[in-house]
Every structure is written in structure tokens, then in C-alpha cells.
Amino acid sequence: MANAAWIAELRSRLGGEMVLTGHAELVAYGFDATYEQGLPEAVVLPRTTQQVRHVLAVAHASGIPVFPRGAGSGLSGGSVPSGGIALALTRMNTIWEVNPEALQAEVEAGVVTADLQRIVREHGLLYAPDPGSASVSTIGGNIAENAAGPHSFRFGPTSHHVLGLEVVLADGEVVTLGGRTSKNVSGYDLVRLIVGSEGTLGVVTRARLRLLPLPQGRASAVTVAPSFQAIQDLIVRLARSPQRPSSIEFLDRACLNLLSEDLAGLITIAPWVQGLLLTDFLAPPQEAVAEAEAAADVVRSAGFEAWVFTGDPQARLWAARERLSPKVARIAPTKISEDATVPIDKIAAFLDDLQHIREEFHVDLIVFGHAGDGNLHPNLVVDERDPDMMDRAKKAIDALFRAALRHGGTLTGEHGIGRLKRPYLKLCLSPAEIAMMTAIKRALDPRGILNPGKAILDVEGRS
Amino acid sequence: MANAAWIAELRSRLGGEMVLTGHAELVAYGFDATYEQGLPEAVVLPRTTQQVRHVLAVAHASGIPVFPRGAGSGLSGGSVPSGGIALALTRMNTIWEVNPEALQAEVEAGVVTADLQRIVREHGLLYAPDPGSASVSTIGGNIAENAAGPHSFRFGPTSHHVLGLEVVLADGEVVTLGGRTSKNVSGYDLVRLIVGSEGTLGVVTRARLRLLPLPQGRASAVTVAPSFQAIQDLIVRLARSPQRPSSIEFLDRACLNLLSEDLAGLITIAPWVQGLLLTDFLAPPQEAVAEAEAAADVVRSAGFEAWVFTGDPQARLWAARERLSPKVARIAPTKISEDATVPIDKIAAFLDDLQHIREEFHVDLIVFGHAGDGNLHPNLVVDERDPDMMDRAKKAIDALFRAALRHGGTLTGEHGIGRLKRPYLKLCLSPAEIAMMTAIKRALDPRGILNPGKAILDVEGRS
């Protein structure tokens, strides 16, 4: 075997139990939450930064590609390997410090996001990013994709919450970037360069994260509307209202049909309803209710009905929202969750386009998302064993990307480019932007061993 | 004249009135708000991106350094030239768009920050970054230094508010980075790489900025404390309180002495007071007052007095805070405003260190700052004509940087590295970080013509 030398070298440096090469293990680390698949030549499961260092040093010396991964819950194929090493950080899951005085925490890359959220909550603190995958996805994966979620509308995406990073570079050098302060302009912002770079510039092993005081109260205002234009008008009104919501979530008619049982007793969805907005307020208890009531008044003054929910009904509403994605996934074998994002004054036009795409390509398209940020998730439910259906789905995706870009939007708000959206990068980035990105990639990973085929175009500019 | 060729070329491309070479003009564009000075060989005052493009093309072809500048109000020597071209963006001051539906604006780099704030306020919107220099400094300068201000505690620094940028690269190519959405992970985050890079990677000519709904109410809670430890404890309590303040400002005893007339009738400062905290709440009117009262209760429950101010007295308090910097500047000919930032649980230790530095080096050190972010401004008031005093001041600055770094802090929270702090970069950045920054610089500006001597160490690693 030509590969024996580097695998033997990894085994001798790390110990055999950290380096897996059985076929079942290679398959198990060869996919993420998309339909993309690949097969690594070895799976490595390090426990320490020093071990990651060894992996990179061996890979760099041998020119072997390294595909870093967390829980494999990504939605763009960002961690799917093609040969080489699948470097799973999941065993590096220690929360090293929660500092309630400095409002920060230091964690390893493999810590599950919901575990961190739960632990800091015990200190009365909030780790604000809340991707839908939080119960399984890792902080390292969230950093790689700059994950966000409903409450990023108010609190910002992961990049706003990273103070410092420990990163292993392509040649195995360990570097600490950023620091322990929320404001820091000492040289270039390498932290924000790494966040969202999908492991193509270095492997994040540790992160120092910013925490916020935990809001003690929560209330939601709900409204429904008969047209996409009315939905957009309400989103803009809510986004501009002085009691800025923590999130503004949109669910289309197809979502509401899926959730009809979950919403029973909470809200009656009339046949004319084209969409629902679920607006959340996190604040001290009395204020949360007052803000939700004020938001409901904003909606009513525009001529629409609105309802305010607190306590158990509010929890049931959000539980329904959380069940949406799994419910969509059960419609057909393959759920393709897209992530196009448009300025909020273009939401109606984009929803119109999606309607046309649904009809033109005969695809089952279910749309929900973080409407306050213009971040919509058009979900295609397909069967990848049906080549004709997949062909239509791919044409529909192409059309929806082009529509989002036509409205001044982007391919992805929070899922990343990964492998799936890379062919579309040339639609949204200019040759000059692509050249800047490849120049940076070449400067930091000259051999191109870090997660090749992801995030940006090749050093040669190929897609 | 050896230089005649490139100056003639600039004149022929731009027209003579945009290229100044008179001595008085060269001097006028040779300094910023520090004591740093330099002399360019030409001052260029473009009106369009196309003209900036010409400047870079000529400079690139001739290997002439270009020193971009806005209002020259920087506090780190970031725009001070050494020969070459002082490229002043101040004539590019058009606000191209304010879009209240999409909550965004597009402006040229030379727009004065306060002008943008005022115009968007007319639409009920807020451009959140509020550096002390806002009435004179430009958006381009704010982007170059990642400027912040008191309310960045809640809203984040400039980098959180930039959606997209138009940048002229070293060779004159014009590139548009980012876009029109608040969430965007299409490739590397080049926007955040440019923000804070002090014009060393490209010249920002235009920016698309994120706007927020304008809070209609404002209230402040004020407290005083007898020791640095008590001050830190109160900062931590306020930062952790669920009614998260918009800002937590600190003023030391020396500041309070300077402001005694301004504070008369508002608050009586007892002789034992070591510092004052001014905590601001921006929210709907009733909530702002309720939040300030709740914060005052948090302070009282810790055993300290607290007062809540609204309306005219509140405005007078903040006017006093804004007069502080000019008042400090009038004490002696030269005010050196430092910008060290520490985690908030290290503020007391850092203030203790500053006390020792004051005594050891016999310097007049006045400290205020954005305490919620741990961002303190130790101000040295000196006379630069007194070499002994300047020597002691420089030693004091060296000592205060080392103290901040010892506490896990940074050299600069919002003023940037510029020319003044560059010699200290090696104290806070590892060789690996310096190598990453110089690799990026080399990739994007291989001839090193963009603002050489600023922000990072030389391509050769020299300070």
C-alpha cells in the first residue's frame, strides 16, 4: 500500500486507537447532513492540540489532505472528505473555563454547542449563537461555518462571539489568535478570517467565547398574512420597531400545513394565510411581555391580527418551530436545506421567485427561515434515487441562487459554501475577490492540504 | 526632480487641482491627532473611485507609497505619511443611499460619521458606532481603525456594522467585498480583514452599512465608589445584569476633578470617591427608565449609592463626559490618549498598575474609558518640548502596555496600532501571528506601497 507510510507514522505518533482505517469507520466519517459523500483513507480522533499538531505535521510532510470535522451536521458538505484524513475533533470536548466575572468561556473545538449553552445558563449567562443543529453540532463546526440561528437577528452570528482562537496551521504550527477582550485592533483580524473559512486555513482546536447575561423573560408575538408583500411589510415594520425583537422567524403555508397538529389550540390558520411570523423577545420578564405587546400593536396598526404568547403556550410554539426541520426531513428521503439570504426589502420578490421555481421545476419547496436577517431556508424534499427528480431539484437550486443574487443577496447566510455551493461561487464573487481569497489561501496553506475543494475556489481558480 | 515624473503623471490623469505639492499643504496633511508627524511628497484629493484607481495605478507602477487618510483625527499615527502620497478621501463625502426598508446605507469613505448619524436619525434609524471623534472623523477612518465608542458595549464596534465595502487594491484594481445582507458566509470574510487593517491592504472608497432602529428613550444610572476593587465589582454586576446597559463608562478621580463645575448641581463628589460609573440605557422611553432604575437597584443591593438621570440632567451628564477629552487636552500641550483594554475582571488590577506607573514615572495620568468592554483610555498630558518629560511618558506607556498584556489584555481596543504602537506589537503577537499577517500583506500588496510602517510589522518582520 502506497499509503502505509503516513498512516504508520500517524499510528506511531498518536497510538493506534486514534487512527481508524476500517471500511465501516471510513464510511461513518464520510458524510454530513447533506447528500454529499466521500471516503477518507484514515479517520483520526485526537484528544489534544498536540495530537492535532502531529496530524498536520505528518500530512504536511506527505502532502496528504486533511478534512477537519465536528459532528458532521453541516449543511453544505463542508466536512465531507475525498481521500486523505478525516480529522474528527469530537473527542476534544472539554469546557476549560467559564468565567462569569469576565463573561467569557474557553472551550475545545469538539464541545457540543447545546452543552456550552446549558453550562453557562447555570451561571446566569447566555452563549448567544443558536443554530438549529445546536443539540449536536460543535463549537468548532459553528466557527468553521460562522453558524447563526434565529436569535442572531439581535445578537449576531458566531463571529460576533469569538474573542480568541487556538488554531493549528497547515504545517502543524500552533497559533493563538485574538485574545480575551471584546475590542481588539492589534494587527489584522485573523480571528474573523478563520471564522467561516471552513477549515481551509487552519484547524480550530480551542476557542475563547464571549458570553452575555441570560435574559430571564421571554415572550412572542405571532402574526399571519395573506400575501408575500404583506409578510415583507410586517417584517420591515418589526425590524424597524424600537423594541427590537430578538428574532423574526418566517414559516410559509407549507410549513403551517406540516405543523397543523402542533399549532392546534394555539393559533387557527385560516385558508387564506400565506405565512406566519414568529417574533421573539428575550428581556427581563415584564419587559419581554411589554415589548411583545408593543410589537403586536405595530402589527395591528398595519391592519393585521397579532397574538402574544408567554409561558407554556409560548414554549409550545417554539417547540413546534423546532420540530419543523425534522418534519420536513420525513416527507422524502433527501432534504436539501438551502440558505439564500436577501435584503429584507426584497423578501417578497424572492418568495415570488420561489413560487415560480416551485412551479417551473415541479419541486416540493418548503420555506422557513430567519426573516429578520432576510435569511430564508428553501427546503427541497427529494429522493436521490430518482435521477429525474434530482435533476429538477438541481435546476431549481440553480434558479433560486440566481434569484437571491439578483436581489442583492447571497448564496448562504449561515450554512457555508462547503462542497455543494462551490460551483456557484463564480456567480456571486468577482474574479478580483476570488483572486484575493486564493492569494490568502496560498499564503497560509501553500500545499493546499487543508480541506481542499471547499469554501473558495481552487488555488488555480477552478470550481 | 526625481519625483517629477509620477507627480506629473498624477496631474495629467487627475487634473492639477487635485494634486497639491506646496509646502504648507504637505505639512497640513502630515499629522493626525497624535504628536506623530511626517511629510508627504504630494497630497491628492480625489472625488471619485476612478480617481483613487488612477492614484494607485501610478503609485504601483512607480513604487511610490500611498498613505490613505480621512479627517486626520486618528490616535495612533495610522494616517501619518513618510514621503509618497497623502491620499485624503475627505472630498468623497456623498451619502449615496439611506434605505429605511432594508435598514442600510451606502456612503463614500469621506462621509463624516456624525453627518451619517444625523441623516439616518431623520429616518428613525441609528448608525451605532459612536467614536469620540464622530463629529470630525470619517466612516473610512472608522473602518480603517475599527473604531468603537461608549455604545459599542451593546452594539459592537464598526466591524459589526459593515455589510460591504468597495476597496481599491494596491495595483489599482477596484473590488467590491461582502454585500447587502447581515449574514453572509460566501468564502472568506474579506470585509472583516479590511476593517481594522489601517489602509495597508487596500483603500476603502465606499461602504454599505447596517442601521438599527433608533431607540427613542434614554436614561442613565450613575454610581461612585471608594476603591478600584469596588469599581470593578460594580462594572461586573452591571455587565451581568439582565437589563444589559448600552454603555458603562468609567471616570477616575482626576476626571471628576476636571469636571467639578460641569457636574455641579447634578452629583456631589465626596472626597473619598475614586471613580464614577455612568451607565446608559437606550430603549423605548418607559423601558429606558425602568432599566436604569433596575441597574440602580443592582448597585444599591451591593451597598453603594446610585442615581438615575433622564431628560435635561441626563443630557448635561453626557455633555460633561464629552467635554472630558478636550478638557484633558487643555492641561498641557500634548495629550497622549492610550487605549489599553483588559478583561473586565482585571480592571481593578490594571487601575492599580496605572497608579504605580503614575508614581514611578512622575506622569500626569488621567483615566477614563468604556469600562463595560474593559477599554480604558489612560491619558498622559505632557509637553513634547520637554525631552525629560517625554522620556518618562514613553517609559510609562511601555509599562502600561506591559501591564495590560500581563492581565490578558491588548494594546488597543479602538484606536489601532498605527505608527505609535507598532514597536510594541512584538509584545502581544507571537512570531506565528506576525508571520500570518505579513504573509497576507505580501499576498495583497507585494510591493508594500499601502501605508507602509503601520498596523503590522514589515514584510521583513521589522518593527
Side-chain angles (χ1 to χ4, degrees):
Chain A
M1 271 178 66
N3 298 326
W6 62 267
I7 292 179
E9 175 70 14
L10 283 175
R11 287 212 163 98
S12 100
R13 291 211 197 185
L14 301 173
E17 84 287 357
M18 291 205 186
V19 183
L20 314 178
T21 53
H23 184 70
E25 292 150 341
L26 299 184
V27 170
Y29 288 87
F31 58 90
D32 68 354
T34 67
Y35 56 83
E36 287 285 299
Q37 289 180 39
L39 209 62
E41 293 167 87
V43 174
V44 183
L45 294 156
R47 289 192 190 280
T48 66
T49 299
Q50 184 62 18
Q51 290 166 347
V52 176
R53 216 174 151 280
H54 282 310
V55 175
L56 270 297
V58 170
H60 192 253
S62 312
I64 304 298
V66 176
F67 300 91
R69 60 189 286 127
S73 56
L75 290 167
S76 60
S79 64
V80 174
S82 320
I85 298 167
L87 180 62
L89 281 295
T90 41
R91 284 184 180 171
M92 292 183 63
N93 61 354
T94 302
I95 295 175
W96 283 103
E97 185 192 350
V98 175
N99 183 334
E101 301 283 308
L103 288 99
Q104 49 192 254
E106 187 162 333
V107 306
E108 287 183 335
V111 166
V112 171
T113 307
D115 289 344
L116 176 65
Q117 289 169 337
R118 185 173 40 76
I119 298 239
V120 305
R121 201 175 291 130
E122 291 166 12
H123 295 272
L125 296 171
L126 173 75
Y127 175 65
D130 60 345
S133 60
S135 63
V136 290
S137 66
T138 63
I139 294 294
N142 293 177
I143 288 169
E145 302 295 0
N146 195 12
H151 294 89
S152 300
F153 175 63
R154 170 142 155 219
F155 299 116
T158 297
S159 72
H160 288 196
H161 303 277
V162 181
L163 302 172
L165 290 174
E166 179 186 78
V167 178
V168 183
L169 300 178
D171 62 358
E173 183 158 23
V174 181
V175 57
T176 305
L177 308 176
R180 294 164 173 254
T181 58
S182 54
K183 291 163 74 178
N184 185 357
V185 273
S186 299
Y188 302 155
D189 189 352
L190 299 178
V191 168
R192 252 51 58 182
L193 181 63
I194 296 294
V195 175
S197 68
E198 302 192 332
T200 63
L201 299 177
V203 179
V204 171
T205 45
R206 216 184 248 230
R208 185 160 277 268
L209 303 169
R210 180 173 160 248
L211 305 174
L212 297 173
L214 183 69
Q216 301 293 327
R218 187 173 180 183
S220 295
V222 173
T223 185
V224 293
S227 71
F228 296 151
Q229 189 59 50
I231 288 161
Q232 175 181 304
D233 289 347
L234 290 170
I235 292 166
V236 170
R237 277 170 192 267
L238 289 164
R240 289 184 62 179
S241 68
Q243 53 283 32
R244 188 170 159 76
S246 301
S247 61
I248 305 176
E249 295 287 294
F250 166 71
L251 289 77
D252 78 353
R253 179 78 223 185
C255 295
L256 298 174
N257 293 344
L258 277 178
L259 293 178
S260 56
E261 282 179 34
D262 305 78
L263 297 175
L266 289 169
I267 180 166
T268 307
I269 308 294
W272 51 262
V273 169
Q274 281 304 310
L276 177 146
L277 295 176
L278 173 54
T279 304
D280 202 25
F281 294 86
L282 300 179
Q286 288 188 334
E287 283 182 31
V289 177
E291 289 178 9
E293 293 286 2
D297 286 341
V298 165
V299 168
R300 288 174 196 133
S301 72
F304 296 90
E305 277 192 282
W307 304 268
V308 170
F309 293 89
T310 57
D312 182 58
Q314 202 257 8
R316 283 178 55 210
L317 260 179
W318 276 88
R321 168 68 185 82
E322 275 159 35
R323 275 195 297 276
L324 186 55
S325 211
K327 285 211 175 194
V328 173
R330 278 198 294 276
I331 297 175
T334 310
K335 165 176 164 278
I336 306 175
S337 175
E338 284 308 338
D339 185 32
T341 303
V342 295
I344 62 171
D345 62 339
K346 302 289 191 250
I347 286 176
F350 186 54
L351 289 172
D352 276 336
D353 290 336
L354 292 177
Q355 186 58 39
H356 292 136
I357 289 168
R358 190 183 278 124
E359 288 157 14
E360 181 174 353
F361 299 103
H362 307 287
V363 287
D364 206 352
L365 198 55
I366 297 163
V367 187
F368 56 89
H370 317 310
D373 284 314
N375 183 198
L376 298 180
H377 295 312
N379 282 261
L380 287 109
V381 282
V382 293
D383 186 339
E384 48 182 316
R385 295 161 303 187
D386 180 340
D388 174 62
M389 188 189 269
M390 285 304 280
D391 183 57
R392 282 183 283 116
K394 284 179 181 169
K395 283 180 179 150
I397 291 170
D398 186 279
L400 81 82
F401 284 152
R402 288 173 194 271
L405 295 173
R406 205 163 52 235
H407 297 304
T410 168
L411 302 177
T412 169
E414 56 182 18
H415 294 173
I417 293 296
R419 198 154 98 169
L420 273 173
K421 282 172 224 167
R422 205 152 154 272
Y424 301 98
L425 264 184
K426 280 187 178 162
L427 296 181
C428 72
L429 300 181
S430 66
E433 276 175 293
I434 292 170
M436 285 177 78
M437 292 181 191
T438 54
I440 291 166
K441 169 72 173 175
R442 204 181 289 125
L444 299 183
D445 178 21
R447 296 196 177 183
I449 63 164
L450 285 171
N451 211 8
K454 313 292 171 58
I456 61 162
L457 296 174
D458 275 355
V459 169
E460 295 76 25
R462 288 191 307 256
S463 65
Chain B
M1 269 179 67
N3 297 328
W6 62 266
I7 292 178
E9 176 70 16
L10 283 175
R11 287 211 164 100
S12 101
R13 290 211 197 188
L14 302 173
E17 83 288 358
M18 291 205 186
V19 184
L20 313 178
T21 52
H23 185 70
E25 292 149 343
L26 300 183
V27 170
Y29 288 87
F31 59 90
D32 67 355
T34 68
Y35 56 85
E36 287 287 297
Q37 289 181 41
L39 210 61
E41 292 166 86
V43 174
V44 182
L45 294 156
R47 290 192 189 278
T48 67
T49 300
Q50 186 60 20
Q51 289 165 348
V52 175
R53 216 174 151 279
H54 283 309
V55 174
L56 271 297
V58 169
H60 192 254
S62 312
I64 303 299
V66 175
F67 300 91
R69 60 189 287 127
S73 56
L75 289 168
S76 59
S79 64
V80 174
S82 320
I85 298 167
L87 180 62
L89 281 296
T90 41
R91 285 184 181 172
M92 290 181 65
N93 61 353
T94 301
I95 296 175
W96 282 101
E97 185 192 349
V98 175
N99 182 334
E101 301 284 308
L103 288 99
Q104 48 193 254
E106 187 162 334
V107 306
E108 287 183 334
V111 166
V112 171
T113 308
D115 288 343
L116 177 64
Q117 290 169 336
R118 185 172 42 74
I119 299 243
V120 304
R121 200 175 291 130
E122 291 166 11
H123 296 272
L125 296 170
L126 173 74
Y127 175 66
D130 60 343
S133 60
S135 62
V136 290
S137 64
T138 63
I139 294 294
N142 293 179
I143 288 169
E145 303 295 359
N146 195 11
H151 293 89
S152 299
F153 175 63
R154 170 143 158 222
F155 298 115
T158 297
S159 71
H160 287 196
H161 303 277
V162 182
L163 301 173
L165 290 174
E166 179 187 79
V167 178
V168 183
L169 300 177
D171 61 359
E173 184 157 22
V174 180
V175 55
T176 304
L177 308 176
R180 293 165 175 252
T181 59
S182 55
K183 292 164 74 178
N184 186 356
V185 275
S186 299
Y188 301 156
D189 189 350
L190 299 178
V191 167
R192 255 47 61 180
L193 182 63
I194 296 295
V195 175
S197 68
E198 302 191 332
T200 63
L201 299 176
V203 179
V204 172
T205 45
R206 215 184 248 233
R208 185 159 277 269
L209 303 169
R210 182 175 160 246
L211 305 173
L212 298 173
L214 182 71
Q216 301 292 328
R218 188 172 180 184
S220 295
V222 173
T223 184
V224 293
S227 71
F228 296 151
Q229 188 59 49
I231 288 162
Q232 176 181 304
D233 290 346
L234 290 170
I235 292 166
V236 170
R237 278 171 192 267
L238 290 165
R240 289 185 62 180
S241 68
Q243 53 283 36
R244 188 169 160 76
S246 301
S247 62
I248 306 176
E249 294 288 295
F250 166 71
L251 289 77
D252 79 352
R253 179 79 223 183
C255 294
L256 298 174
N257 292 345
L258 277 178
L259 293 179
S260 56
E261 281 178 35
D262 305 78
L263 297 175
L266 290 168
I267 181 166
T268 307
I269 308 294
W272 51 262
V273 169
Q274 282 303 310
L276 177 145
L277 295 176
L278 172 54
T279 304
D280 202 25
F281 294 86
L282 300 180
Q286 287 188 334
E287 284 183 30
V289 176
E291 290 179 9
E293 292 287 2
D297 286 342
V298 165
V299 168
R300 288 173 195 132
S301 72
F304 296 90
E305 277 190 283
W307 303 268
V308 170
F309 293 89
T310 57
D312 183 57
Q314 201 257 10
R316 282 178 55 209
L317 261 178
W318 277 88
R321 167 68 186 82
E322 274 158 35
R323 274 195 298 276
L324 185 55
S325 212
K327 283 211 176 194
V328 173
R330 278 198 294 274
I331 297 174
T334 310
K335 165 175 164 280
I336 306 174
S337 173
E338 283 308 338
D339 185 31
T341 303
V342 295
I344 62 170
D345 62 339
K346 302 291 193 243
I347 286 176
F350 185 54
L351 289 172
D352 276 338
D353 291 336
L354 292 178
Q355 186 57 39
H356 292 136
I357 288 167
R358 190 183 277 122
E359 288 158 13
E360 182 174 353
F361 299 102
H362 306 287
V363 286
D364 205 353
L365 198 54
I366 297 164
V367 187
F368 56 90
H370 317 309
D373 284 316
N375 184 198
L376 298 179
H377 295 311
N379 282 263
L380 287 109
V381 280
V382 293
D383 186 339
E384 49 183 314
R385 294 161 302 187
D386 179 340
D388 174 62
M389 186 188 269
M390 285 304 279
D391 182 58
R392 283 183 283 114
K394 284 179 180 169
K395 283 179 178 151
I397 290 169
D398 186 279
L400 81 83
F401 283 152
R402 287 173 195 271
L405 296 173
R406 204 162 54 235
H407 296 304
T410 170
L411 302 177
T412 168
E414 57 181 18
H415 294 173
I417 293 296
R419 198 154 98 170
L420 273 172
K421 283 172 222 167
R422 205 151 154 272
Y424 300 98
L425 263 185
K426 279 187 178 161
L427 297 180
C428 72
L429 300 182
S430 66
E433 276 175 294
I434 291 170
M436 285 176 79
M437 292 180 191
T438 54
I440 291 166
K441 170 72 172 174
R442 203 181 289 123
L444 300 184
D445 178 21
R447 296 198 177 183
I449 64 164
L450 284 171
N451 211 7
K454 313 292 171 59
I456 61 162
L457 296 173
D458 273 357
V459 169
E460 295 75 25
R462 290 192 305 257
S463 66

